């Protein structure tokens, strides 16, 4: 490992620990030439999963794109960024555990809708309207009827009270 200070390849490892839930190793090193200490991280190279789009094209999986679409659906809703990050991580983990090289965008969309349906029904309908390409008001009405027919618990509404 090349020292980031003097650029000499001559160091010793002082300490090694796992980090990032066991997915990386953190090594504390000391350069034998200049004596300065530095930290390196060792990670396995991630598998590049491709998403098969509706038109048949393929693009690399992008967790930021998934999160952005969930953020748009949850705009002005009582959903924390931490909760969205948790959903994205759960979807990502499920995808990487299930697929080796390619996954259909339809599968990712269905997972996102499952999570949103349990989290916030308004965000769910927003996401579904884009994902399923709603064309008419009746498409929204049908989706809402499905939610009501399932008897899913409604999301909590904030009540605003005026002081007299």
């Amino acid at each position: 490992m090349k020292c980031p200070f003097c650029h000499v390849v001559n160091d010793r490892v002082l300490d090694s620990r796992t980090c990032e839930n066991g997915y990386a190793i953190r090594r504390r090193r000391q350069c034998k030439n200049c004596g300065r200490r530095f930290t390196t991280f060792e990670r396995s190279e991630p598998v590049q999963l491709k998403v098969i789009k509706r038109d048949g094209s393929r693009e690399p999986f992008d967790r930021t794109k998934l999160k952005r679409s969930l953020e748009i659906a949850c705009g002005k809703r009582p959903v924390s960024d931490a909760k969205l990050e948790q959903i994205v991580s759960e979807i990502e983990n499920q995808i990487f555990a299930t697929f080796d090289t390619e996954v259909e965008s339809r599968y990712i969309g269905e997972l996102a809708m499952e999570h949103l349906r349990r989290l916030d029904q308004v965000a769910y309908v927003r996401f579904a309207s884009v994902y399923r390409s709603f064309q008419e008001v009746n498409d929204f009405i049908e989706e809402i009827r499905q939610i009501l027919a399932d008897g899913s618990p409604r999301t909590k509404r904030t009540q605003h009270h005026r002081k007299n």
Side-chain angles (χ1 to χ4, degrees):
M1 180 66 60
K2 191 179 273 192
C3 173
F5 306 106
C6 70
H7 308 290
V8 172
V9 182
N10 190 9
D11 67 67
R12 67 186 185 107
V13 175
L14 302 173
D15 183 44
S16 292
R17 297 178 187 195
T18 61
C19 60
E20 297 176 17
N21 292 324
Y23 289 101
I25 297 174
R26 175 187 173 275
R27 297 193 196 281
R28 192 74 181 133
R29 298 174 182 268
Q30 183 173 22
C31 177
K32 291 182 178 179
N33 183 53
C34 68
R36 294 184 73 181
R37 293 181 180 194
F38 58 98
T39 303
T40 60
F41 292 89
E42 184 179 318
R43 294 177 185 86
S44 62
E45 191 170 342
V47 175
Q48 189 58 42
L49 190 66
K50 297 278 186 182
V51 176
I52 305 169
K53 307 295 281 179
R54 289 182 187 179
D55 65 2
S57 64
R58 287 162 170 73
E59 65 181 47
F61 173 76
D62 183 0
R63 83 185 315 273
T64 57
K65 187 175 177 181
L66 173 60
K67 185 172 182 195
R68 190 171 43 249
S69 66
L70 293 174
E71 286 172 338
I72 291 167
C74 294
K76 296 187 180 183
R77 299 296 302 154
V79 178
S80 69
D81 190 56
K83 187 62 181 172
L84 288 179
E85 189 61 42
Q86 178 187 352
I87 290 171
V88 170
S89 293
E90 288 175 14
I91 291 171
E92 185 178 36
N93 290 341
Q94 189 167 352
I95 291 167
F96 280 95
T98 308
F99 299 94
D100 291 330
T101 56
E102 294 183 331
V103 58
E104 290 186 26
S105 61
R106 179 175 47 89
Y107 183 80
I108 298 170
E110 293 295 331
L111 286 176
M113 287 197 317
E114 280 179 33
H115 284 278
L116 286 175
R117 190 168 186 161
R118 290 190 303 265
L119 178 68
D120 186 289
Q121 292 174 346
V122 171
Y124 165 77
V125 172
R126 287 177 179 170
F127 188 90
S129 71
V130 174
Y131 175 71
R132 293 188 177 147
S133 304
F134 288 4
Q135 299 297 315
E136 301 174 2
V137 172
N138 286 334
D139 296 333
F140 285 93
I141 293 169
E142 187 54 39
E143 196 66 42
I144 292 167
R145 279 190 184 131
Q146 285 291 328
I147 293 171
L148 295 174
D150 289 347
S152 301
R154 292 186 175 186
T155 56
K156 295 178 185 173
R157 294 182 183 214
T158 342
Q159 294 182 355
H160 299 283
H161 298 285
R162 286 188 183 182
K163 289 185 178 181
N164 293 335

